[in-house]
Amino acid sequence: MILAVASGKGGTGKTTVSVNLAQVFGARVQLLDCDVEEPNSHLFLKGTLRESEIAAIRVPEVDESLCNACGLCSKFCQYHAIALLGATPLVFQELCHGCGGCEKICPRGAISEKERRIGVVETVEADNVTLIQGRLDVGVAMAPPLIRAVKSRLLGGVSAILDAPPGTSCPVIATIRGSDLVVLVTEPTPFGLHDLKLAVDMVKELGITFGVVVNRVGIGDDRVHRFCGERKIPVLLEIPDDRRIAEAYSRGELVIDALPEYRSRFSTLLWNIKELRGKKSGANHVRS
Amino acid sequence: MKIAFSTSGENLDAPLDGRFGRASKFILYDLEKEYFEVIDNQQNLNAAQGAGIQAAEAVVRAGANGIVTGHCGPNAYRALCAAGVAIYNCEAPTVAAALTAFRAGVLLPMESADVEGHWV
Ligand code: SF4
Ligand code: SF4
């Protein structure tokens, strides 16, 4: 099972849910920190760094002696990373997503590719959890290719939890695409509800089964609950607004270690997730 | 010689838009023939990235030899330089005032980008 944990905005407790869930998982599990601009899962898992690999994308290089300024490359590139403005195309490396399209389309074979480093992918072993995290280099705005590099390390046959970046933009979609189930973490506030609605639309668009975790229950109002009720969205877990959770977080401790009474809640979450997944695959089975 | 002015309007009284890549239109003024045409830059307004490059492509395609605008980011600057288009910095309130300043020769070509990427 590949499970993605996402939220419409930052600071809702996405990492708390991911790391604690990984720890109660029981069996061996892979935790992928796809929040590559600010990976923080490693703060909660004390393990040993097993591997650190450089992640690069392939950006084009134009051989001026072969180019006849036909402009096909520039027309092709949807990111405007290669533009024909003078006698030969200019490459804007920091906009290039490394899709390789311009090289293929060039009729003169004038484009070759060179590597551009965008970050690192690190593998940390911590008991039953294998943490794989991407770390984008400072000043690089190219999260999706690095997220794909992180996801390419996934071992088949072993379950995985994907900690998505906050929001609903391309990096989030790059993370949750292909997962079996998405957990959306939110807070019971008007802002939380607003961002939850955006996240729900995104997940529906991708056609992935999902449920909600409501964090900091006790603040705000009941509109998130009402929204989930109306839309028949399963609430998989409620975490009360307990300042000891925030304190444990700030010390880099797992909630289930610092506050053992919460361990059963995360086990229940895991159980609810598995049940939701079972229900869906069962339903699909009947339909097909 | 044709000069492009970044703007939000369609005539010479329109305000000069301070941002090159995110300007909704360009007024392309032909100094020899004394007439102008309007170039639409609308589709670039929502581009997440590369708006400055697209705007540069649009004005170069239209045959501009120079650009008068408020600010220009690094990508647009590189693109315009490669195309041999000079960029003039101008704080004038309207396109007409900027045109007068350009004719008077008081505008100096920029020698580097003056804002960070996303600002363009
Ligand atoms: S590799 Fe893809 S993204 Fe990069 S310049 Fe070529 S077409 Fe554009
Ligand atoms: S497609 Fe090839 S030949 Fe055409 S402009 Fe691009 S690099 Fe030059």
Side-chain angles (χ1 to χ4, degrees):
Chain A
M1 174 176 63
I2 300 178
L3 169 75
V5 182
S7 68
K9 71 178 181 98
T12 53
K14 200 168 36 63
T15 300
T16 301
V17 170
S18 309
V19 293
N20 285 282
L21 197 58
Q23 207 60 262
V24 299
F25 209 81
R28 198 174 150 221
V29 65
Q30 309 171 82
L31 175 61
L32 271 60
D33 196 338
C34 297
D35 191 358
V36 296
E37 283 174 55
E38 226 173 313
N40 58 358
S41 298
H42 65 99
L43 300 173
F44 302 89
L45 297 167
K46 318 286 177 277
T48 44
L49 182 70
R50 195 188 68 201
E51 215 183 319
S52 178
E53 264 181 274
I54 289 173
I57 57 171
R58 302 183 65 80
V59 301
E61 210 171 21
V62 180
D63 182 337
E64 297 179 12
S65 65
L66 294 174
C67 171
N68 67 354
C70 70
L72 283 177
C73 52
S74 150
K75 249 182 238 124
F76 174 81
C77 181
Q78 57 171 306
Y79 303 106
H80 310 286
I82 186 162
L84 184 67
L85 286 139
T88 42
L90 271 184
V91 177
F92 295 89
Q93 278 197 19
E94 67 284 7
L95 297 179
C96 171
H97 284 233
C99 73
C102 54
E103 183 194 4
K104 286 197 192 76
I105 212 150
C106 174
R108 313 259 308 169
I111 298 180
S112 57
E113 292 180 327
K114 62 171 183 203
E115 297 225 314
R116 172 182 182 237
R117 181 190 150 125
I118 55 170
V120 290
V121 178
E122 296 165 337
T123 307
V124 174
E125 295 291 352
D127 299 330
N128 68 325
V129 183
T130 302
L131 171 68
I132 306 168
Q133 65 179 5
R135 201 184 279 280
L136 209 54
D137 285 346
V138 174
V140 174
M142 204 48 67
L146 183 55
I147 290 168
R148 285 193 285 273
V150 170
K151 286 175 75 175
S152 72
R153 304 293 196 283
L154 263 183
L155 291 179
V158 182
S159 287
I161 300 171
L162 277 49
D163 189 356
T168 47
S169 58
C170 300
V172 186
I173 292 166
T175 303
I176 68 179
R177 193 184 288 280
S179 54
D180 299 312
L181 198 139
V182 176
V183 172
L184 297 174
V185 185
T186 190
E187 286 178 349
T189 61
F191 290 122
L193 178 61
H194 173 262
D195 295 324
L196 174 64
K197 284 178 177 167
L198 296 177
V200 165
D201 289 346
M202 168 185 72
V203 181
K204 281 201 164 152
E205 181 103 347
L206 292 167
I208 308 173
T209 308
F210 67 99
V212 164
V213 168
V214 189
N215 190 16
R216 304 188 63 206
V217 171
I219 61 166
D221 51 35
D222 66 348
R223 276 188 279 178
V224 163
H225 288 91
R226 285 213 314 265
F227 171 75
C228 291
E230 282 158 18
R231 300 287 188 94
K232 301 202 166 42
I233 298 169
V235 175
L236 305 166
L237 172 71
E238 294 186 20
I239 306 172
D241 182 34
D242 182 342
R243 62 171 302 192
R244 293 176 304 160
I245 293 179
E247 284 164 5
Y249 185 89
S250 65
R251 287 193 303 266
E253 286 175 12
L254 290 168
V255 177
I256 55 166
D257 290 342
L259 307 164
E261 66 265 38
Y262 281 107
R263 183 173 278 269
S264 64
R265 290 194 190 233
F266 283 96
S267 302
T268 308
L269 169 61
L270 184 62
W271 195 84
N272 287 341
I273 287 167
K274 286 181 176 165
E275 205 196 38
L276 182 61
R277 164 120 173 86
K279 234 189 256 167
K280 280 292 161 177
S281 45
N284 287 341
H285 191 76
V286 173
R287 240 184 283 137
S288 58
Chain B
M1 179 164 176
K2 290 180 182 173
I3 303 293
F5 298 83
S6 56
T7 180
S8 51
E10 303 205 334
N11 56 51
L12 297 183
D13 296 326
L16 187 71
D17 194 316
R19 306 178 307 164
F20 172 70
R22 303 274 181 202
S24 60
K25 296 183 182 72
F26 293 103
I27 285 184
L28 186 67
Y29 196 92
D30 189 320
L31 293 168
E32 279 94 45
K33 300 197 180 114
E34 298 291 348
Y35 80 95
F36 66 87
E37 55 184 306
V38 179
I39 308 167
D40 194 45
N41 191 39
Q42 207 80 41
Q43 91 267 15
N44 292 350
L45 288 180
N46 300 322
Q49 285 182 312
I53 299 166
Q54 288 181 74
E57 283 177 318
V59 293
V60 169
R61 220 180 297 123
N65 308 97
I67 310 265
V68 177
T69 187
H71 302 279
C72 181
N75 284 340
Y77 182 83
R78 234 185 101 203
L80 291 167
C81 285
V85 175
I87 309 152
Y88 301 90
N89 226 183
C90 184
E91 306 269 305
T94 63
V95 174
L99 179 61
T100 309
F102 182 81
R103 282 199 221 264
V106 296
L107 301 184
L108 295 175
M110 282 169 65
E111 272 161 21
S112 67
D114 67 345
V115 285
E116 286 297 313
H118 278 277
W119 209 83
V120 295

